[in-house]
Amino acid sequence: MMAKIELWLNIVHYCIYKMDYKIHLLSNKINPFLLIGKIPSVERNFREQGTSLKEFGNKFWTDRRYGFGIMISGAALTVFLFFVIWASFLFVNRLLGYPLNFSWHPFVFCFAWAYFISYLFVFQNEKYIKYFKKFDKRSKQEKRKYGVLSLAFVASTIALVIYSFSLLPPLP
């Protein structure tokens, strides 16, 4: 059971990372800041270092260990997990007749659980890198299938959050 949860969380994380990676590559085509790299002195500095502004930006954004894209995909995964836990909390709270008042305590508790789950199953000992290597070797058809399933998870999470507004306790 835990291995399946770990696998699916890493699949969702991988798909979010790949989507962010593709958006980054697309934005490189229209990024006006890359024009700074065309300034002769800047270009010369990068050439002396054996790189270019575009390569530096790509390394900064897409590095799988410390890149900005991995931070964004990890944060997105944690937020989606938070939404699922929060909606579940609201549902149980409503079934029990609102024994817990609506305050910041359950909110923080749900966020802490979401962070703990994503850390335990994805980020502890950098498990996601092992999974990323495994997923990169999969066929395009399998990647597409997992992408559709991840999109379905994200869409259903958003729908669940919208529905959860009806589960909020009545105002006093």
Side-chain angles (χ1 to χ4, degrees):
M1 176 73 169
M2 298 301 232
K4 282 191 175 195
I5 292 172
E6 183 176 308
L7 174 70
W8 281 103
L9 286 177
N10 277 289
I11 286 172
V12 171
H13 183 236
Y14 177 78
C15 291
I16 293 171
Y17 173 77
K18 281 304 213 180
M19 182 196 66
D20 182 60
Y21 177 77
K22 289 180 182 184
I23 290 172
H24 167 72
L25 293 180
L26 178 67
S27 71
N28 271 351
K29 296 181 189 300
I30 58 172
N31 190 351
F33 292 107
L34 289 179
L35 295 175
I36 294 172
K38 304 271 188 215
I39 298 172
S41 61
V42 174
E43 190 175 17
R44 185 174 45 251
N45 262 348
F46 276 110
R47 205 173 328 116
E48 288 172 0
Q49 295 174 5
T51 187
S52 69
L53 180 61
K54 190 172 185 177
E55 289 174 10
F56 173 77
N58 284 340
K59 173 95 170 116
F60 172 78
W61 197 271
T62 62
D63 183 42
R64 288 189 171 182
R65 208 173 280 276
Y66 304 112
F68 198 65
I70 207 72
M71 289 185 230
I72 288 174
S73 61
L77 177 68
T78 304
V79 167
F80 288 130
L81 282 174
F82 164 75
F83 285 150
V84 169
I85 294 168
W86 179 248
S88 302
F89 166 77
L90 290 176
F91 182 72
V92 169
N93 198 28
R94 182 172 184 173
L95 283 178
L96 298 176
Y98 302 112
L100 294 174
N101 292 332
F102 189 73
S103 67
W104 62 273
H105 300 302
F107 188 81
V108 171
F109 178 76
C110 290
F111 190 78
W113 263 106
Y115 179 79
F116 175 73
I117 288 170
S118 61
Y119 176 77
L120 184 67
F121 290 115
V122 178
F123 298 107
Q124 187 180 39
N125 300 325
E126 296 179 340
K127 291 179 191 174
Y128 69 92
I129 292 177
K130 176 183 77 170
Y131 280 100
F132 276 23
K133 289 177 183 175
K134 191 163 88 172
F135 296 148
D136 281 338
K137 294 176 185 172
R138 296 219 170 149
S139 70
K140 194 168 186 128
Q141 186 178 8
E142 278 185 301
K143 288 180 187 178
R144 189 174 291 128
K145 178 181 83 169
Y146 288 137
V148 169
L149 289 173
S150 294
L151 183 64
F153 170 75
V154 169
S156 62
T157 301
I158 291 170
L160 183 66
V161 167
I162 292 170
Y163 175 71
S164 72
F165 285 113
S166 68
L167 300 174
L168 289 173
L171 292 174

